[in-house]
Amino acid sequence: MRQLFQNIRSQIKYTVILPYLMLMIIVMLVGSGVAIMLVAGSWQERFNNQLGQVARNFAEAFAQRELSNIQYLGQIVFTAPNAQTGAPAISAAIRDRDTEGLDLALKGLWQIGLSNENISQDRLVVFDRNGLSLADWERTPLSPVEPTKYVGTDLGDLPLVQSVLRGELEPLPDGETLGDKYSGLIRFQSLEGVETIHFFTVVPVYTPTGANNPDQRSVVGGIMVAQRLDNLLQALQSSSQSAISTIYDINGLVQGTTAPGVTPEDLAMSPELMAQVAALNTFNIPNPDQAAPQRGRASDAPSDDICLDIGNLSGRLVTPLDRTTLPACSVNTTQTLSDREYQFVYAPLLIRGVQSGYFSVSLSRDFVLSAWASSRNVVIGITAALALSSVVVGYGVARRITRPLDDLVATAEAVTAGDLARRSNVAERETNELGQLSLAFNQMTAHLLQLYTASRELNTTIESPSILDVATNTAAAFVADTVALALLEDLEGFRFNVPANQTFDGSEIANRRLPADTPLLLALATQDPEAPQLLIMDEAIREASGLTAVGFATALAAPIYRQRQIAGALIFVHQRPKAFAEADLQRLDVVANMTVTVLANALLYTQVQREAKQRQAILTSIGDGVVVCDDRGRIVLLNNAAEEMLQLPNWRTARARFAELPLEAVAKSQELFGALGEQFRLGERYITLTRAPVVDENSTAAGEVIVLHDVTDAINVDKAKTDFIATISHELRTPLTVIRGYVELLLRGTGGAKPTSDQKELLDTVRARAVDMTDMVNNAILIADIETGKLQTEMGPQDIELVLSMALTPLRTSFEAKQLSLTLDVPADLPPVLADREQLRQVFGQLLDNARRYTTTGGVTVRARAERGWVNVSISDTGAGIAPDILPRLFKRFQRIEGNNSAQRGGGLGLAITRQLVERQGGTVQVESTPGSGSTFTITLVQAHEQSFAVAQSDDPATTTP
């Protein structure tokens, strides 16, 4: 028996539960029974009756609000003209769209509405036959008396407004009608973009002469009065004495509530609650599976949201709910809001017997609780003795429990605050569960402190010896004399790493290397990378790893992964056999998890550093400048060549943008003697750019790599080449002119006898070669002029036939000498082209001369046609044609047809010059050829008219440098 009593005292569940269980059962049975019998039933019934009366008051006040709106609108509609103020009748002002008169007539009526608490309008809109507002007044906090006026409000798309403008009468199931007045909810948007729901009533306005005669009247517009739903609910709550008033749509979603600090989702009606209301409802409730009619949608709302399903107020005159039927069609629930308990009553929102949604009112249950408090004397008198005894007994019991608990709580709070060195003293005083809990808590915080210290120290280093120092100290805290080693991958295999401050002679194992197929690594490779475990190394693995030779009899290994591949191992070693118990394995596993992550990062850091140095060495050795920019165009990397080229020694701190560098674009080369691409000038240097985007793994551009090529020397060589060719060409043209002149004189017999036939043949050959040489020299001079920018282009309307004639004149003799036909097909009404006459003549001359050179029989045909603002001139020959592989490079410099060894073939510059001259004049040149069937060269030029000529003059291409 004594042992049983000792067991009960030593277990806290008996110390607390048994005394309090017995005492509380007695208190609950006696006290609760008396309280329930005396108070609960009667006060709850009174509370329910009061809540039902609040619901009836709410419904009646809502009905009265619509009646007041209709009366107020009737007063506005039938307002007569005021001769004293000059205000017209409202209907006449709407009909005549007299906005000034309408403002004058509405002034007094606006004040009347503000002074009537059953109206107190927030918005008054008068609109015309199309639903466009003639007057749109709003009461705002900044102008509670003088309204804020809006212009351009469009209510034409609102279904209820359309019904009003059509003069429709709302039908009832029994064939009667509800009249032509409608009510609903609308969402108005203020100038600041804030949307607010309003309850509105709208009525039609008829012509002044037919307002009382249905056969003669016609609708000229309408008037809408609206109150903000939050203001309306506050007024209804004030009149009904409700604590919280809420209006829901037909789907049970909150559209307005007076509950402060409560989200609408907290008050939304559940489907079960709506089903209960529907089951008790004795009125005409729509099928909940059918969507409610979409009424009350505002034309100025920014989306297609239906303002409110209870916007289906649809103009029916609200009739107060029957007092005797309200409890039968309402549901009571209890809900806690903002730490207060409320009782809600839900009922359908009925308008003339048709449900348009739901409403709820609630009262705080503080009323019932206060009623209970007023009757507590009876309960207190009965339970006072029991309460007093429970306090005395409870105090002693509580002190026995709370004293050690207070110590544990204080210790736990200190540990939570970061004081991991704090320990509980309960274990020194108690021998029950609290003492055991305190002992376990102290051990847990000690281990936690050790692991936290290790984690913090691991995060401060990236060197493997320092990492192993931390792992060794932490493991030794759990199992004394434990040492942490690491087998890490390097370029030559796997190498042992030892702690920097090792307590053993690690010289025999430090830096020892193992192959990738060592048994330890093979055993670790069989583990799942997602759930690695500590490997207990047997004697064979220890011996193969060299650990047995240095005196370690126990070893545990954890794999180190890098990209899911074995990159090494963390090894805990001990000189004592079976040094690690089962509990130690769990602690060492935690240490291993922290350490292997840091070691893997250290390996990755070493690899990144090594690769970065390699990349830096590669960039440094590149002769061209390399610039790396981020996605914002800011320079993030320069090699030495780029740094010197751009003169940016401080680019690491300046964060300059590449687009801001002083690069001056240089005119594009003409690609005759050679082109270096797009060129820029940077000081005295000329450079070209090669750009390539930097794309990340998601195929998103993360920046750009720009390679800078210094082409200053190439440009200088190219300029010297052009100057040399120009000089030589000018020097050659003078003697060639003399040779041609003297040959002509000799052929005519000037200065002696006429040449014989043999002499004449020789002189003709000399003259032909001199002409060819002169043409080649002229082409070289023309190319030099283009390259240096000396060639000027003077655009103007040109007659194609005239220019062709000028080009053919010097060539007709050579065509006749080869007995080639020459056909011109130029329409008489061909429009002129916009071109430079001399350059166009040279283009025609080059193409005609080429056709003559490479045609032996047949002839050459020139056709010109106008098409869609362009003029196409084609020159076709019957020569040997051009092979398809030559066509793509035909217009490049020094391109000649291989296999043609004719003495009359050109120097390979004519077509390159032709392309440059045509493109300078805004045209294009193309070629079509079939081997054995001749070739056709087509030039396309812009037709000359006033607009194109004006554009050409404004662009001034004649003075531009190519």
Side-chain angles (χ1 to χ4, degrees):
M1 188 67 180
R2 186 174 182 180
Q3 183 66 33
L4 177 62
F5 182 73
Q6 184 65 29
N7 291 337
I8 292 176
R9 289 189 59 190
S10 63
Q11 298 185 34
I12 192 171
K13 61 181 180 180
Y14 298 121
T15 304
V16 177
I17 293 176
L18 290 181
Y20 268 89
L21 182 61
M22 297 173 60
L23 182 61
M24 295 308 298
I25 289 176
I26 296 174
V27 172
M28 290 174 58
L29 290 177
V30 177
S32 299
V34 173
I36 292 173
M37 287 187 298
L38 293 178
V39 178
S42 61
W43 281 107
Q44 184 62 47
E45 182 178 358
R46 293 178 60 185
F47 183 76
N48 290 342
N49 292 336
Q50 182 180 358
L51 187 58
Q53 183 59 46
V54 169
R56 285 189 288 271
N57 293 341
F58 182 90
E60 292 173 359
F62 193 89
Q64 184 59 44
R65 179 57 61 117
E66 185 178 17
L67 290 173
S68 299
N69 283 351
I70 293 175
Q71 293 171 0
Y72 177 58
L73 291 173
Q75 185 178 1
I76 296 176
V77 169
F78 294 105
T79 298
N82 190 329
Q84 185 176 1
T85 62
I90 295 296
S91 58
I94 296 175
R95 179 197 61 195
D96 300 335
R97 299 183 60 83
D98 182 6
T99 55
E100 294 183 359
L102 194 60
D103 287 352
L104 188 61
L106 288 176
K107 276 188 177 180
L109 297 170
W110 173 264
Q111 299 300 327
I112 292 174
L114 293 179
S115 62
N116 190 335
E117 64 179 7
N118 287 327
I119 300 173
S120 189
Q121 75 278 7
D122 293 304
R123 195 93 176 217
L124 182 63
V125 183
V126 180
F127 52 90
D128 61 11
R129 187 66 182 82
N130 297 318
L132 296 176
S133 65
L134 300 175
D136 185 356
W137 293 7
E138 181 183 21
R139 180 176 60 167
T140 64
L142 298 178
S143 59
V145 177
E146 290 297 327
T148 299
K149 299 180 181 181
Y150 298 95
V151 178
T153 304
D154 187 2
L155 302 177
D157 292 336
L158 193 64
L160 299 185
V161 172
Q162 294 176 359
S163 299
V164 167
L165 294 176
R166 289 193 296 266
E168 294 179 354
L169 302 179
E170 184 76 11
L172 286 176
D174 56 4
E176 297 293 332
T177 60
L178 291 174
D180 53 2
K181 303 165 184 63
Y182 295 81
S183 295
L185 294 182
I186 189 171
R187 193 187 304 273
F188 281 114
Q189 188 176 40
S190 67
L191 294 176
E192 293 78 14
V194 179
E195 293 186 354
T196 308
I197 299 176
H198 290 65
F199 169 71
F200 73 92
T201 302
V202 60
V203 299
V205 178
Y206 299 96
T207 54
T209 58
N212 298 318
N213 190 343
D215 296 331
Q216 297 180 0
R217 67 184 183 181
S218 61
V219 178
V220 297
I223 305 178
M224 174 187 292
V225 63
Q227 295 87 25
R228 288 169 57 101
L229 189 58
D230 52 356
N231 294 339
L232 176 60
L233 283 175
Q234 291 293 343
L236 296 177
Q237 178 168 301
S238 177
S239 60
S240 64
Q241 301 300 311
S242 170
I244 298 176
S245 301
T246 308
I247 289 181
Y248 309 84
D249 63 11
I250 199 67
N251 296 314
L253 299 179
V254 175
Q255 301 301 316
T257 182
T258 60
V262 179
T263 61
E265 290 77 8
D266 294 337
L267 295 176
M269 296 178 65
S270 64
E272 295 79 7
L273 181 58
M274 290 190 293
Q276 294 179 28
V277 177
L280 296 175
N281 186 19
T282 59
F283 296 89
N284 180 21
I285 301 178
N287 185 350
D289 295 332
Q290 298 177 354
Q294 298 184 359
R295 298 177 178 174
R297 174 182 169 188
S299 60
D300 59 343
S303 66
D304 292 336
D305 294 337
I306 301 305
C307 173
L308 198 57
D309 279 337
I310 68 165
N312 307 333
L313 300 178
S314 66
R316 304 182 186 93
L317 193 60
V318 178
T319 302
L321 295 174
D322 187 350
R323 296 174 183 269
T324 62
T325 61
L326 179 61
C329 62
S330 60
V331 175
N332 282 276
T333 63
T334 302
Q335 188 174 354
T336 301
L337 300 174
S338 302
D339 298 329
R340 296 188 66 182
E341 187 176 351
Y342 293 88
Q343 183 166 327
F344 286 78
V345 59
Y346 297 86
L349 184 62
L350 302 175
I351 300 178
R352 286 202 176 178
V354 177
Q355 183 181 355
S356 298
Y358 303 91
F359 74 89
S360 70
V361 293
S362 66
L363 292 176
S364 173
R365 287 185 59 82
D366 292 345
F367 174 78
V368 177
L369 298 177
S370 63
W372 168 260
S374 64
S375 303
R376 68 179 177 272
N377 292 333
V378 178
V379 179
I380 292 175
I382 298 174
T383 59
L386 295 174
L388 180 61
S389 61
S390 66
V391 169
V392 174
V393 176
Y395 178 79
V397 174
R399 289 298 299 165
R400 176 70 184 277
I401 298 173
T402 57
R403 187 179 295 110
L405 287 179
D406 288 342
D407 183 87
L408 284 172
V409 170
T411 304
E413 290 177 347
V415 171
T416 303
D419 185 8
L420 297 180
R422 179 74 175 270
R423 298 292 180 267
S424 172
N425 298 318
V426 176
E428 301 174 0
R429 302 190 302 266
E430 301 289 342
T431 59
N432 53 20
E433 289 93 335
L434 289 175
Q436 297 175 8
L437 176 63
S438 174
L439 180 61
F441 184 83
N442 288 341
Q443 293 176 350
M444 179 186 68
T445 52
H447 293 163
L448 183 63
L449 176 60
Q450 187 66 38
L451 294 175
Y452 171 75
T453 303
S455 175
R456 186 173 57 184
E457 292 177 353
L458 287 173
N459 289 331
T460 61
T461 181
I462 201 66
E463 300 294 334
S464 59
S466 300
I467 297 173
L468 293 174
D469 271 342
V470 176
T472 297
N473 295 335
T474 306
F478 299 132
V479 181
D481 299 327
T482 301
V483 178
L485 307 177
L487 183 62
L488 302 179
E489 183 182 17
D490 61 10
L491 296 177
E492 300 179 3
F494 291 83
R495 179 174 59 87
F496 270 105
N497 289 252
V498 298
N501 301 314
Q502 69 267 21
T503 58
F504 68 100
D505 185 8
S507 59
E508 295 185 14
I509 196 171
N511 297 321
R512 177 182 296 179
R513 299 185 185 278
L514 297 179
D517 58 352
T518 188
L520 171 61
L521 297 177
L522 294 177
L524 292 175
T526 61
Q527 294 193 10
D528 182 6
E530 300 295 335
Q533 298 178 353
L534 283 175
L535 173 67
I536 301 177
M537 301 173 58
D538 57 24
E539 184 177 358
I541 296 179
R542 293 198 307 275
E543 185 174 356
S545 302
L547 298 177
T548 304
V550 294
F552 293 119
T554 305
L556 303 174
I560 300 174
Y561 293 101
R562 185 178 61 195
Q563 297 178 350
R564 301 180 64 86
Q565 299 294 325
I566 293 291
L570 173 68
I571 306 173
F572 294 112
V573 295
H574 203 285
Q575 295 178 345
R576 188 176 71 249
K578 298 181 180 179
F580 304 128
E582 186 67 27
D584 298 329
L585 294 179
Q586 298 179 2
R587 301 187 185 98
L588 292 177
D589 186 55
V590 175
V591 178
N593 288 336
M594 294 189 300
T595 307
V596 296
T597 301
V598 180
L599 286 173
N601 292 337
L603 286 174
L604 182 61
Y605 174 77
T606 302
Q607 179 184 2
V608 170
Q609 288 290 98
R610 183 168 59 249
E611 292 176 353
K613 290 179 180 178
Q614 292 175 351
R615 288 194 295 268
Q616 186 63 37
I618 293 172
L619 283 176
T620 303
S621 63
I622 294 176
D624 289 334
V626 179
V627 182
V628 181
C629 299
D630 60 14
D631 56 349
R632 298 183 180 179
R634 294 178 300 191
I635 297 175
V636 297
L637 180 64
L638 292 179
N639 69 344
N640 293 342
E643 183 177 328
E644 179 182 358
M645 193 179 300
L646 298 176
Q647 294 297 309
L648 287 176
N650 62 337
W651 61 270
R652 293 178 178 83
T653 58
R655 304 292 289 172
R657 296 179 182 272
F658 187 80
E660 298 172 353
L661 297 180
L663 297 177
E664 179 183 355
V666 180
K668 186 177 180 182
S669 172
Q670 300 300 318
E671 299 184 358
L672 292 177
F673 289 137
L676 299 175
E678 187 177 10
Q679 302 169 13
F680 297 88
R681 176 181 292 173
L682 183 63
E684 298 298 327
R685 293 187 176 186
Y686 291 89
I687 62 174
T688 60
L689 308 181
T690 301
R691 297 174 178 265
V694 177
V695 182
D696 59 18
E697 63 273 8
N698 298 322
S699 298
T700 302
E704 186 179 25
V705 176
I706 304 170
V707 180
L708 309 178
H709 308 277
D710 191 337
V711 294
T712 304
D713 294 338
I715 288 179
N716 292 335
V717 170
D718 187 66
K719 184 176 182 302
K721 174 187 63 179
T722 302
D723 294 340
F724 174 75
I725 292 175
T727 302
I728 294 299
S729 298
H730 280 89
E731 293 298 328
L732 288 175
R733 184 161 58 179
T734 301
L736 285 174
T737 303
V738 174
I739 292 172
R740 288 180 59 185
Y742 286 159
V743 169
E744 290 290 343
L745 292 176
L746 291 174
L747 286 172
R748 295 176 186 175
T750 304
K754 286 188 177 182
T756 64
S757 59
D758 292 338
Q759 292 174 339
K760 184 176 183 301
E761 183 178 353
L762 293 175
L763 291 175
D764 284 335
T765 301
V766 172
R767 180 179 63 179
R769 298 288 77 77
V771 170
D772 292 340
M773 287 295 295
T774 302
D775 291 340
M776 293 181 64
V777 169
N778 288 335
N779 284 342
I781 294 174
L782 180 58
I783 290 174
D785 290 342
I786 294 175
E787 287 284 323
T788 58
K790 296 179 180 180
L791 182 64
Q792 304 298 316
T793 302
E794 298 179 358
M795 304 292 285
Q798 306 296 337
D799 186 345
I800 290 292
E801 186 174 8
L802 176 61
V803 179
L804 281 171
S805 177
M806 294 170 59
L808 283 171
T809 298
L811 297 175
R812 289 188 183 276
T813 302
S814 58
F815 270 91
E816 293 172 357
K818 295 186 70 172
Q819 297 181 353
L820 299 176
S821 64
L822 184 60
T823 304
L824 293 179
D825 183 8
V826 180
D829 58 350
L830 184 71
V833 297
L834 188 63
D836 182 287
R837 177 178 296 180
E838 179 57 27
Q839 293 180 20
L840 185 58
R841 183 195 65 77
Q842 291 176 338
V843 168
F844 287 152
Q846 293 280 8
L847 294 179
L848 289 169
D849 188 48
N850 268 6
R852 176 190 64 81
R853 288 174 184 272
Y854 297 106
T855 302
T856 56
T857 61
V860 176
T861 302
V862 181
R863 292 185 181 88
R865 296 290 185 270
E867 183 179 354
R868 298 180 180 178
W870 299 84
V871 173
N872 298 326
V873 181
S874 61
I875 300 175
S876 304
D877 60 56
T878 58
I882 305 170
D885 59 328
I886 300 178
L887 289 176
R889 48 191 173 87
L890 190 62
F891 290 98
K892 296 186 178 297
R893 57 194 180 279
F894 304 120
Q895 293 296 323
R896 297 192 297 183
I897 299 176
E898 297 179 2
N900 187 345
N901 297 319
S902 171
Q904 293 187 353
R905 69 175 184 166
L909 295 176
L911 292 180
I913 294 174
T914 297
R915 189 193 70 172
Q916 293 293 330
L917 294 180
V918 171
E919 290 179 353
R920 289 171 66 89
Q921 299 172 80
T924 60
V925 59
Q926 297 176 341
V927 60
E928 297 178 359
S929 181
T930 302
S933 300
S935 305
T936 299
F937 289 83
T938 303
I939 300 172
T940 302
L941 298 170
V942 179
Q943 291 185 17
H945 47 74
E946 293 182 359
Q947 182 178 1
S948 64
F949 188 53
V951 172
Q953 286 182 326
S954 64
D955 292 341
D956 198 11
T959 59
T960 58
T961 301

